[in-house]
Amino acid sequence: MNLGQNWPTVLTLFGSTLTFYVQTWDEYYTQTLTLGIISGPVEGILTLCIVYAFTAIKGGGSFWQQSLFATLGLPKYGFIPDYFYDLPFNEWYMVYGGLVLVFNTVQSALNVMRIRRKASKDPLTPLYGLLPYFLTWTIVPLYLYLQPVILHHHLIPFVLYIGLINAYSVGQIIIAHLTKNPEFPMYNVLTLPLGLAVMDSVGPWPSVLGDGTYQIAFVFLCLGLGVGIYGSFVYDIITTICDYLDIWCLTIKHPYNEEGEKKKAKNEPLEALVQLTQFVDNSTQFTSNAKMLSRRLLRRLPPSTAVRALSTTSSCQRTPTLADIEPNGASVFDARQKKFRDGVKEAQKAKEKQDSQSAAALASSAASAAPKGEAGRGAPTAQIASNAGSQSATSSSPSGHDSESSDGFVTQALGSLSTHNTEAARESSQQQDASKRKGALSSLIYGTHEGQQMDQEIEKSFSQVLARGKYVHSIVFHSVKPDKVDEYVELVGGWYPKMAKLEDNHVNLVGSWRTEVGDCDTFVHIWEYQRYHGYHASLHSIASHPDFPAFDRKLKTLITHKQTSLMQEFSFWPTTPPRQLGGLFELRSYTLHPGNLLEWETHWRKGLRARREVMEGVGAWFVQVGDLNTVHHLWQFANLEERKARREMSWGVEGWGDTVHKTVPLIQTMKSRVLVPMAWSPVA
């Protein structure tokens, strides 16, 4: 349009960048992309197309310097000032753009304020987010005014530099919106050189850049800086997304193979069964040692607390409800939680000390008895903890490990299906492959080193998920008839603790709860067994009890539905021992997309460390028989207000936001239940 290297071009740049910035700012605060009646992506592009078409048809940009009224053949009336009648097309274009710009900016601001008021939030705070843009555009015209050589002779590189400044600001806002960052990005490092250049030009000191060659060099230097910083920003985003989605940029990482996918889906269950069988075989020899260690630790406890793990002596009273939770009981809950955790730490120290002594003795005997270079075996570990309710428990878990002769004695907490013997060859192959993929371009195409490491973690996560394979848990849901709740509580409250206390049943009751928010009048029970053979043995023992037929007949008259799933606990989140902290519980159940359990475990392994700083977890389990692809997390809170506060505090802990960002796409459905513990529940 023949605007030339002058102020009209600068105004055009201001209008286009402001529209882009304001609409992205609007989307950040409203979570919705709102386009104006006349928007850049639609009407703006159509306007440009019309301009380009007329420029081509009329033979060049000089067409736009003609008078609009005269070209359209409008007569010159006396009431029309000469200035308006002679105004060329390109200046009317500026007027049109200015009106649209003001309208869209005001509309976006009012929209943000309206949404904020509707959400009972301060409507004026978001307006501060416009300050970075207008501060930049206070510096831009000031610099061009002070340096006319740039305005009239080198405006093109300067325009590109300003465009990169705006693109970087908008990119930061988009990332903050996508990651739900509560802090609006106010700072843009690319504006700093421009601010320093203005200070250099107006300061009382002699100008370093001067008015000629150095100013031109400075503009090109800023353009190069903008390309470097914004390019690095874009590169980081692309590689992060590629690593997260397990894809490559510009190339296909996993070509689809229909036959291969069918074969993989067919063989996966068999491979899982083989690995599980190997783990059970490797850990069987440690069972007797673990039992002996558990009994030894129990004998050292005070007589008043020597209760079998996950058993109870509580008596059933009335049916508990959410109304029993005291709204101001957070301080009592926190005190009990601290006492419980301190007891766990002391017990773990005692366990580690005894383990180290046992390991030293075992290593010494192995060194003297076994041939040189023979692989060792890990020693069993046991966990014991006392709780605030004067209860105590012990739970032993195997730690079976295969190791290479060169590594000697290998130990890992809670056990593992070790792939140690095959990792050396795999790592060597990966290192050779990685040596061919160094550099920024290779990282962009093949993913970053961190992303490749995550691929490796996910590949070997199956063994880690099954690390605590000694324990099988069942979760049982009873839907009770509303008018039969009290009878149910009396019946089950007398039977479940009785079954848990009988040694011959080989079963531990983790806890029993009643649903208060969610599926009301639904009772949840979690049991713990010694592997699947323990599950079968327990069912047989309980069913053989002389009182079982009467209990079973009565139970069937009280419930409308029963649902049972068999689960295993995640290795990074062992089920808590008995404790009496008070408060309420939340059972969060997630149904994952098939094939995503391993990735879920990998991300939650890191995320749990962040959550544990502010929340009290009970346990986490994944279903192996029943509702497949389902994961259950059980949390404990003082009350619902504390639950809200603790969950909000999680976002301030490093690592939690990343866990949510990476696990949400894995979920099909999710469900939350608020539970209250029954009087006989060991975990309450």
Side-chain angles (χ1 to χ4, degrees):
M1 297 187 74
N2 265 3
L3 295 177
Q5 297 192 58
N6 213 325
W7 290 112
T9 300
V10 177
L11 288 174
T12 302
L13 178 65
F14 171 76
S16 59
T17 55
L18 178 60
T19 300
F20 195 13
Y21 186 94
V22 168
Q23 289 183 340
T24 310
W25 165 81
D26 183 341
E27 182 182 12
Y28 173 84
Y29 281 105
T30 63
Q31 307 300 310
T32 303
L33 177 59
T34 305
L35 299 178
I37 296 177
I38 301 177
S39 64
V42 183
E43 289 79 13
I45 292 178
L46 289 176
T47 301
L48 290 178
C49 291
I50 293 173
V51 169
Y52 291 150
F54 268 88
T55 303
I57 294 172
K58 295 299 181 179
S62 58
F63 169 79
W64 302 106
Q65 293 179 300
Q66 303 178 75
S67 168
L68 171 65
F69 289 166
T71 303
L72 296 178
L74 297 176
K76 187 179 182 307
Y77 297 104
F79 63 86
I80 302 178
D82 292 341
Y83 173 79
F84 283 104
Y85 190 84
D86 296 332
L87 205 63
F89 277 98
N90 52 15
E91 294 191 24
W92 278 112
Y93 174 77
M94 302 294 292
V95 173
Y96 157 73
L99 293 175
V100 172
L101 182 65
V102 171
F103 178 80
N104 285 347
T105 302
V106 172
Q107 184 186 40
S108 292
L110 293 176
N111 182 52
V112 170
M113 296 172 70
R114 177 179 59 82
I115 296 296
R116 297 278 292 186
R117 287 195 189 97
K118 189 175 181 180
S120 301
K121 297 180 180 179
D122 183 10
L124 300 179
T125 299
L127 298 180
Y128 292 113
L130 299 175
L131 290 179
Y133 181 86
F134 288 107
L135 177 62
T136 300
W137 274 93
T138 300
I139 299 174
V140 167
L142 183 58
Y143 175 77
L144 292 175
Y145 173 78
L146 294 170
Q147 302 298 332
V149 66
I150 303 300
L151 174 63
H152 298 297
H153 300 286
H154 299 282
L155 188 59
I156 292 177
F158 185 79
V159 164
L160 294 175
Y161 168 52
I162 300 304
L164 288 171
I165 291 179
N166 190 74
Y168 188 45
S169 293
V170 169
Q172 289 180 305
I173 300 173
I174 293 173
I175 294 301
H177 164 64
L178 292 176
T179 58
K180 302 189 183 301
N181 188 345
E183 297 295 330
F184 185 86
M186 300 286 288
Y187 177 68
N188 188 334
V189 68
L190 290 178
T191 60
L192 185 60
L194 197 60
L196 294 176
V198 171
M199 293 176 60
D200 176 70
S201 300
V202 301
W205 48 79
S207 175
V208 175
L209 298 175
D211 297 325
T213 304
Y214 288 115
Q215 287 291 347
I216 299 171
F218 169 75
V219 169
F220 279 95
L221 179 65
C222 288
L223 177 58
L225 179 67
V227 170
I229 291 179
Y230 185 67
S232 175
F233 174 69
V234 172
Y235 167 80
D236 288 341
I237 292 174
I238 292 176
T239 53
T240 301
I241 292 175
C242 287
D243 289 345
Y244 172 68
L245 296 178
D246 191 27
I247 60 176
W248 286 340
C249 181
L250 306 180
T251 59
I252 298 176
K253 183 176 183 180
H254 303 293
Y256 181 77
N257 185 328
E258 185 173 359
E259 292 299 325
E261 291 296 323
K262 290 181 179 179
K263 184 180 296 184
K264 181 180 177 182
K266 184 177 181 180
N267 292 337
E268 274 182 352
L270 181 59
E271 292 174 359
L273 182 60
V274 170
Q275 292 190 45
L276 178 60
T277 304
Q278 290 174 349
F279 170 73
V280 172
D281 292 340
N282 291 336
S283 58
T284 299
Q285 57 184 303
F286 299 112
T287 303
S288 59
N289 291 337
K291 289 182 178 179
M292 291 175 60
L293 181 57
S294 299
R295 295 191 188 103
R296 198 176 302 126
L297 291 171
L298 275 172
R299 285 198 294 269
R300 295 183 182 181
L301 293 173
S304 60
T305 63
V307 182
R308 186 170 64 85
L310 291 172
S311 64
T312 178
T313 57
S314 302
S315 59
C316 174
Q317 299 178 4
R318 65 178 182 84
T319 306
T321 66
L322 196 58
D324 298 333
I325 306 299
E326 297 182 5
N328 300 320
S331 58
V332 177
F333 180 90
D334 291 342
R336 292 175 178 173
Q337 181 187 60
K338 183 178 184 302
K339 185 175 181 180
F340 171 75
R341 289 188 171 186
D342 290 344
V344 169
K345 290 179 181 178
E346 292 176 4
Q348 286 177 341
K349 289 179 181 178
K351 175 183 71 68
E352 290 170 0
K353 182 178 180 181
Q354 183 150 359
D355 284 350
S356 63
Q357 294 174 351
S358 300
L362 182 60
S364 176
S365 61
S368 60
K372 184 177 180 181
E374 185 177 342
R377 292 285 185 179
T381 63
Q383 182 181 17
I384 178 171
S386 59
N387 58 59
S390 298
Q391 297 187 21
S392 65
T394 60
S395 60
S396 59
S397 56
S399 292
H401 304 282
D402 296 329
S403 59
E404 292 181 58
S405 58
S406 59
D407 291 331
F409 193 83
V410 181
T411 55
Q412 287 180 326
L414 302 178
S416 170
L417 270 177
S418 179
T419 56
H420 186 74
N421 290 327
T422 60
E423 285 300 313
R426 184 184 303 174
E427 290 177 3
S428 175
S429 173
Q430 289 168 346
Q431 289 172 0
Q432 294 175 3
D433 188 51
S435 65
K436 303 176 183 178
R437 300 179 179 176
K438 293 182 179 178
L441 181 59
S442 296
S443 296
L444 185 65
I445 296 176
Y446 296 109
T448 61
H449 177 65
E450 291 78 8
Q452 295 172 6
Q453 284 183 328
M454 178 169 290
D455 288 344
Q456 297 171 23
E457 289 180 11
I458 291 176
E459 286 175 5
K460 63 184 181 182
S461 285
F462 187 83
S463 60
Q464 296 172 345
V465 168
L466 297 179
R468 282 179 63 86
K470 177 178 180 180
Y471 298 103
V472 171
H473 291 80
S474 69
I475 184 168
V476 182
F477 296 92
H478 285 165
S479 299
V480 182
K481 299 175 182 178
D483 59 336
K484 302 292 185 180
V485 168
D486 291 337
E487 289 184 57
Y488 173 87
V489 171
E490 182 179 357
L491 175 70
V492 175
W495 178 258
Y496 276 11
K498 179 180 177 180
M499 292 299 100
K501 284 189 292 185
L502 293 178
E503 293 286 349
D504 293 340
N505 289 340
H506 302 289
V507 61
N508 300 320
L509 178 62
V510 176
S512 297
W513 300 269
R514 178 187 182 183
T515 304
E516 283 287 286
V517 179
D519 303 325
C520 292
D521 295 326
T522 296
F523 289 76
V524 183
H525 311 279
I526 298 179
W527 297 86
E528 181 181 87
Y529 307 90
Q530 297 289 318
R531 301 195 190 93
Y532 287 105
H533 68 78
Y535 175 71
H536 288 294
S538 299
L539 291 185
H540 178 74
S541 177
I542 293 173
S544 301
H545 194 281
D547 296 336
F548 175 76
F551 165 79
D552 191 49
R553 283 194 301 270
K554 180 64 175 177
L555 179 65
K556 291 175 180 177
T557 65
L558 305 178
I559 64 176
T560 60
H561 178 71
K562 176 182 178 180
Q563 181 178 345
T564 303
S565 292
L566 299 182
M567 319 176 295
Q568 280 192 277
E569 59 189 3
F570 286 102
S571 63
F572 61 86
W573 193 344
T575 306
T576 183
R579 65 189 189 194
Q580 302 288 323
L581 305 185
L584 53 83
F585 295 75
E586 181 183 19
L587 178 65
R588 299 180 69 85
S589 303
Y590 306 89
T591 301
L592 309 183
H593 293 285
N596 286 324
L597 177 61
L598 303 185
E599 187 174 353
W600 175 276
E601 186 268 349
T602 299
H603 297 314
W604 258 98
R605 180 181 291 271
K606 300 174 183 177
L608 182 63
R609 289 194 290 268
R611 264 289 169 97
R612 274 179 170 161
E613 294 187 21
V614 295
M615 290 170 58
E616 186 63 40
V618 176
W621 307 269
F622 60 95
V623 175
Q624 286 201 315
V625 181
D627 287 337
L628 297 179
N629 304 307
T630 299
V631 174
H632 297 290
H633 292 181
L634 187 59
W635 302 91
Q636 188 171 9
F637 304 95
N639 50 53
L640 288 175
E641 188 64 33
E642 275 293 299
R643 171 191 174 275
K644 175 179 178 294
R646 299 285 179 172
R647 291 181 61 83
E648 291 175 350
M649 289 169 61
S650 300
W651 291 101
V653 181
E654 183 180 359
W656 174 242
D658 186 59
T659 299
V660 174
H661 174 66
K662 291 180 178 179
T663 54
V664 165
L666 309 179
I667 301 172
Q668 283 194 78
T669 61
M670 56 190 298
K671 188 173 186 177
S672 172
R673 300 176 178 88
V674 174
L675 313 175
V676 292
M678 305 307 295
W680 65 82
S681 179
V683 176

